[in-house]
Coordinates of all heavy atoms in Angstrom, one line a residue:
K7 N 90.8 104.8 96.3 CA 92.0 104.9 95.5 C 91.8 105.8 94.2 O 92.7 106.5 93.8 CB 92.4 103.5 95.0 CG 93.0 102.6 96.1 CD 93.3 101.2 95.6 CE 93.8 100.3 96.8 NZ 93.9 98.9 96.4
A8 N 90.5 105.7 93.8 CA 90.2 106.5 92.6 C 89.9 108.0 92.9 O 89.8 108.8 92.0 CB 89.0 106.0 91.9
G9 N 89.8 108.3 94.2 CA 89.5 109.7 94.6 C 88.1 110.1 94.5 O 87.7 111.3 94.3
V10 N 87.2 109.1 94.6 CA 85.7 109.3 94.6 C 85.2 109.2 96.0 O 85.4 108.2 96.6 CB 85.0 108.3 93.7 CG1 83.5 108.6 93.7 CG2 85.6 108.4 92.2
P11 N 84.6 110.3 96.5 CA 84.1 110.2 97.9 C 83.1 109.1 98.1 O 82.1 109.0 97.4 CB 83.5 111.6 98.1 CG 84.1 112.5 97.1 CD 84.4 111.6 95.9
A12 N 83.3 108.3 99.2 CA 82.4 107.2 99.5 C 82.6 106.9 101.0 O 83.6 107.3 101.6 CB 82.7 106.0 98.7
G13 N 81.6 106.2 101.6 CA 81.7 105.9 103.0 C 80.7 104.8 103.4 O 79.7 104.5 102.7
P14 N 81.0 104.1 104.5 CA 80.1 103.1 105.0 C 78.9 103.7 105.7 O 78.8 104.9 106.0 CB 80.9 102.3 106.0 CG 81.8 103.4 106.6 CD 82.1 104.3 105.4
I15 N 77.9 102.9 106.0 CA 76.7 103.2 106.8 C 76.8 102.5 108.1 O 76.6 101.3 108.2 CB 75.4 102.9 106.0 CG1 75.3 103.6 104.7 CG2 74.2 103.3 106.9 CD1 74.2 103.2 103.8
N16 N 77.3 103.2 109.1 CA 77.7 102.6 110.4 C 76.5 102.6 111.3 O 75.7 103.6 111.4 CB 78.8 103.4 111.0 CG 80.1 103.3 110.3 OD1 80.4 102.3 109.7 ND2 81.0 104.3 110.5
D17 N 76.4 101.5 112.1 CA 75.5 101.6 113.3 C 76.3 102.2 114.4 O 77.5 102.5 114.2 CB 74.9 100.2 113.6 CG 76.0 99.2 113.9 OD1 77.1 99.5 114.4 OD2 75.7 98.0 113.8
L18 N 75.7 102.4 115.6 CA 76.4 103.1 116.6 C 77.6 102.3 117.2 O 78.6 102.9 117.6 CB 75.5 103.5 117.8 CG 74.4 104.5 117.4 CD1 73.7 105.0 118.6 CD2 74.9 105.6 116.5
A19 N 77.5 100.9 117.1 CA 78.7 100.1 117.5 C 79.9 100.4 116.5 O 81.0 100.5 117.0 CB 78.3 98.7 117.5
D20 N 79.5 100.5 115.2 CA 80.6 100.8 114.2 C 81.2 102.2 114.5 O 82.4 102.4 114.4 CB 80.0 100.8 112.8 CG 79.5 99.4 112.4 OD1 80.1 98.4 112.9 OD2 78.5 99.3 111.7
V21 N 80.3 103.2 114.8 CA 80.7 104.5 115.0 C 81.8 104.6 116.1 O 82.9 105.2 115.9 CB 79.5 105.4 115.4 CG1 80.0 106.8 115.9 CG2 78.6 105.6 114.2
F22 N 81.5 104.0 117.3 CA 82.4 104.1 118.4 C 83.6 103.2 118.3 O 84.6 103.4 119.1 CB 81.7 103.9 119.7 CG 80.7 105.0 120.0 CD1 79.3 104.8 119.9 CD2 81.2 106.3 120.3 CE1 78.4 105.9 120.1 CE2 80.3 107.3 120.5 CZ 78.9 107.1 120.5
A23 N 83.6 102.3 117.3 CA 84.8 101.5 117.0 C 85.6 102.1 115.9 O 86.7 101.6 115.6 CB 84.4 100.1 116.7
D24 N 85.1 103.1 115.2 CA 85.8 103.7 114.0 C 87.1 104.3 114.4 O 87.2 105.1 115.4 CB 84.9 104.8 113.4 CG 85.5 105.3 112.1 OD1 86.4 106.1 112.1 OD2 85.0 104.9 111.0
P25 N 88.2 104.0 113.7 CA 89.5 104.5 114.1 C 89.6 106.0 114.2 O 90.3 106.6 115.1 CB 90.5 104.0 113.0 CG 89.7 102.8 112.5 CD 88.3 103.1 112.6
Q26 N 88.9 106.7 113.4 CA 88.9 108.2 113.4 C 88.2 108.7 114.7 O 88.7 109.6 115.3 CB 88.3 108.8 112.2 CG 88.3 110.3 112.1 CD 89.7 110.9 112.0 OE1 90.6 110.2 111.6 NE2 89.8 112.2 112.3
V27 N 87.0 108.1 115.0 CA 86.3 108.5 116.2 C 87.1 108.2 117.5 O 87.2 109.0 118.4 CB 84.9 107.8 116.2 CG1 84.2 108.0 117.6 CG2 84.1 108.2 115.1
V28 N 87.8 107.0 117.4 CA 88.7 106.7 118.6 C 89.8 107.6 118.7 O 90.2 108.1 119.8 CB 89.2 105.2 118.4 CG1 90.2 104.9 119.5 CG2 88.0 104.2 118.5
A29 N 90.5 108.0 117.5 CA 91.6 108.9 117.5 C 91.2 110.3 118.0 O 92.0 110.9 118.7 CB 92.2 109.0 116.1
R30 N 90.0 110.7 117.7 CA 89.6 112.0 118.1 C 89.0 112.1 119.6 O 88.7 113.1 120.1 CB 88.5 112.6 117.2 CG 89.0 112.8 115.8 CD 89.9 114.0 115.6 NE 89.2 115.3 115.8 CZ 89.8 116.4 115.7 NH1 91.1 116.5 115.6 NH2 89.0 117.5 115.8
K31 N 89.0 110.9 120.2 CA 88.6 110.7 121.6 C 87.2 111.3 121.8 O 87.0 112.1 122.8 CB 89.6 111.3 122.5 CG 91.0 110.6 122.4 CD 92.0 111.3 123.4 CE 93.3 110.6 123.2 NZ 94.4 111.2 124.1
L32 N 86.2 111.0 120.9 CA 84.9 111.6 121.1 C 84.1 110.9 122.2 O 83.2 111.5 122.8 CB 84.1 111.4 119.7 CG 84.6 112.4 118.7 CD1 84.2 112.0 117.3 CD2 84.1 113.8 119.0
R33 N 84.4 109.6 122.4 CA 83.7 109.0 123.6 C 84.5 109.4 124.8 O 85.7 109.4 124.9 CB 83.8 107.5 123.5 CG 83.3 106.8 124.8 CD 83.2 105.3 124.8 NE 82.9 104.9 126.2 CZ 82.3 103.8 126.5 NH1 81.9 102.9 125.5 NH2 82.1 103.4 127.8
I34 N 83.7 109.7 125.9 CA 84.3 110.1 127.1 C 83.7 109.3 128.2 O 82.6 108.7 128.1 CB 84.2 111.6 127.4 CG1 82.7 112.0 127.4 CG2 85.0 112.4 126.5 CD1 82.4 113.4 127.9
D35 N 84.3 109.2 129.4 CA 83.8 108.4 130.5 C 84.1 109.3 131.8 O 85.0 108.9 132.6 CB 84.5 107.1 130.6 CG 84.1 106.1 129.5 OD1 83.0 105.6 129.6 OD2 84.8 106.0 128.5
P36 N 83.3 110.3 132.0 CA 83.5 111.2 133.2 C 83.3 110.4 134.4 O 82.3 109.6 134.5 CB 82.4 112.3 133.0 CG 82.1 112.3 131.6 CD 82.2 110.9 131.1
P37 N 84.2 110.5 135.4 CA 84.1 109.7 136.6 C 82.8 110.1 137.4 O 82.4 111.2 137.5 CB 85.3 110.0 137.4 CG 85.8 111.3 136.9 CD 85.4 111.4 135.4
S38 N 82.2 109.0 138.0 CA 81.1 109.2 138.9 C 81.2 108.3 140.1 O 81.4 107.1 139.9 CB 79.8 108.9 138.2 OG 78.7 108.9 139.1
A39 N 81.2 108.9 141.3 CA 81.4 108.0 142.5 C 80.3 107.0 142.7 O 80.4 106.0 143.4 CB 81.5 109.0 143.7
H40 N 79.1 107.3 142.1 CA 77.9 106.5 142.4 C 77.6 105.5 141.3 O 76.9 104.5 141.5 CB 76.7 107.4 142.6 CG 76.9 108.4 143.7 ND1 77.2 108.1 145.0 CD2 77.0 109.8 143.6 CE1 77.4 109.2 145.7 NE2 77.3 110.3 144.9
A41 N 78.1 105.7 140.1 CA 77.7 104.9 138.9 C 78.5 103.6 139.0 O 79.6 103.5 139.4 CB 78.0 105.6 137.6
K42 N 77.8 102.5 138.5 CA 78.4 101.2 138.3 C 79.6 101.4 137.4 O 79.5 101.9 136.3 CB 77.4 100.2 137.7 CG 77.9 98.8 137.7 CD 76.8 97.9 137.2 CE 77.3 96.4 137.2 NZ 76.2 95.5 136.7
G43 N 80.8 100.9 137.8 CA 82.0 101.0 137.0 C 82.7 102.3 137.2 O 83.8 102.5 136.6
G44 N 82.1 103.2 138.0 CA 82.8 104.5 138.4 C 82.8 105.6 137.3 O 83.5 106.6 137.5
A45 N 82.0 105.4 136.3 CA 81.9 106.5 135.2 C 80.5 106.4 134.5 O 79.9 105.4 134.5 CB 83.0 106.3 134.2

């Protein structure tokens, strides 16, 4: 609110749950016929 740059220190679970990371679709799941779950 004050306009002072700040941020959290995320672990990787936090990173991939972050709304900005989700919105930018940085995680991908390329399909694989052989992998468990198909990707």
Side-chain angles (χ1 to χ4, degrees):
K7 290 176 183 175
V10 178
I15 300 172
N16 290 334
D17 61 24
L18 296 193
D20 297 325
V21 169
F22 291 109
D24 187 284
Q26 182 67 18
V27 174
V28 172
R30 296 288 287 179
K31 298 179 181 178
L32 286 162
R33 172 177 171 154
I34 56 172
D35 292 279
S38 169
H40 307 295
K42 187 175 181 178

